[in-house]
Amino acid sequence: MTYQAWTLFALFWVVFVTSPGPNAVNCIQNGMTHGFAKSLWGVLAILTQAFLFLWLSALGVTALIAASPTAFLIAKIIGAGFLIWLGVRGWMTARKPLAAQVPTAGSIYGRAFAIATINPKSVAGYLAAFSQFVMPDVPIGQQMWVIVPTALSITAASYVTYTALGAGLGRAALGMVANTVVRRVLAVSFILYGLLLGSTVVPPGGRA
C-alpha cells in the first residue's frame, strides 16, 4: 500500500468509526452508567469485532454475505430488533439508580460485541474499504500489516473518546431528572438506529 493509499484509507476509516452510530451510543451509555475504566471492556469488544471483520473482508466472506439477499435480510431483522429492544429496555430502566446496575466485565463485552456485529452497515463499510483501497496486484497479507494496525488504532481512539464523553455526562447528570433525560435520549437513539437499520441496503458492488 502506497503512502497516498494509506492516507486515503486512514481518512476513510476516521469518518467510518467517528460517525455516530449504535457503537458510539453504546460507548456513551456504558461510560455514563459504569464509569470510564470498566466501560473499556466495551471498547475491547468493538476492537475484537473490527479485527475479525477486517480479516473476513480480506478473505471475501463479507462479500459473500452482502451478495446474499436472504442472509442480509436476516441480519437486518435480527440487528434492528436487537437495537430496538435495547432502546425499549433502556427507556424502561432510565429511572433506576445507576448503582443498582452492576454488570460484569463479560456482560459489557458481550453486549458491545453483539451491537458491533449485528449491524449490516458494518458489512458495507468494510466492503467499501477493501474495494476502494486494497491493491489487487499486491498480496493481501502484506497489505494487512498496514491496514489492521491503522484501523484498530483509529477505532480505539474514537470509541475511547465516546466512552470518556459518556463518563463525563455521568458525572454531570447528578440530578435524577437530568440523569433520566440523558439516559432516555440514548434509549431513543437505539430505537431510531434500529428502525433505520431495518431499511438499509448494501449498494451494488458492496460500496457504502
Side-chain angles (χ1 to χ4, degrees):
M1 178 176 285
T2 65
Y3 177 77
Q4 181 181 13
W6 175 83
T7 301
L8 292 174
F9 172 77
L11 290 174
F12 167 84
W13 207 261
V14 167
V15 174
F16 179 48
V17 299
T18 58
S19 300
N23 283 335
V25 172
N26 189 51
C27 284
I28 293 173
Q29 190 176 69
N30 282 342
M32 181 179 175
T33 307
H34 314 307
F36 178 75
K38 194 167 188 178
S39 298
L40 291 179
W41 284 102
V43 178
L44 179 61
I46 295 173
L47 291 174
T48 304
Q49 181 266 350
F51 180 82
L52 292 175
F53 267 48
L54 284 168
W55 282 102
L56 288 174
S57 296
L59 295 173
V61 174
T62 52
L64 293 176
I65 295 175
S68 171
T70 301
F72 189 73
L73 177 61
I74 293 173
K76 281 204 305 179
I77 293 173
I78 294 175
F82 182 62
L83 292 177
I84 293 172
W85 176 79
L86 287 176
V88 172
R89 182 173 178 271
W91 181 277
M92 295 176 64
T93 60
R95 289 183 175 274
K96 292 184 179 180
L98 293 177
Q101 303 177 11
V102 186
T104 63
S107 66
I108 295 174
Y109 180 95
R111 168 180 157 132
F113 185 81
I115 291 173
T117 302
I118 51 81
N119 187 352
K121 291 182 69 177
S122 292
V123 176
Y126 284 90
L127 285 173
F130 276 78
S131 63
Q132 296 180 37
F133 302 109
V134 170
M135 302 172 64
D137 56 340
V138 178
I140 187 62
Q142 295 180 14
Q143 298 180 73
M144 292 299 283
W145 285 106
V146 177
I147 291 172
V148 172
T150 300
L152 294 185
S153 297
I154 296 172
T155 301
S158 174
Y159 292 115
V160 166
T161 301
Y162 277 120
T163 302
L165 174 61
L169 287 173
R171 288 191 295 269
L174 297 178
M176 176 59 74
V177 175
N179 190 291
T180 301
V181 169
V182 173
R183 291 165 69 184
R184 283 187 169 172
V185 168
L186 295 175
V188 170
S189 296
F190 271 124
I191 295 173
L192 291 177
Y193 282 127
L195 294 174
L196 291 173
L197 180 59
S199 63
T200 58
V201 297
V202 172
R207 295 181 180 273

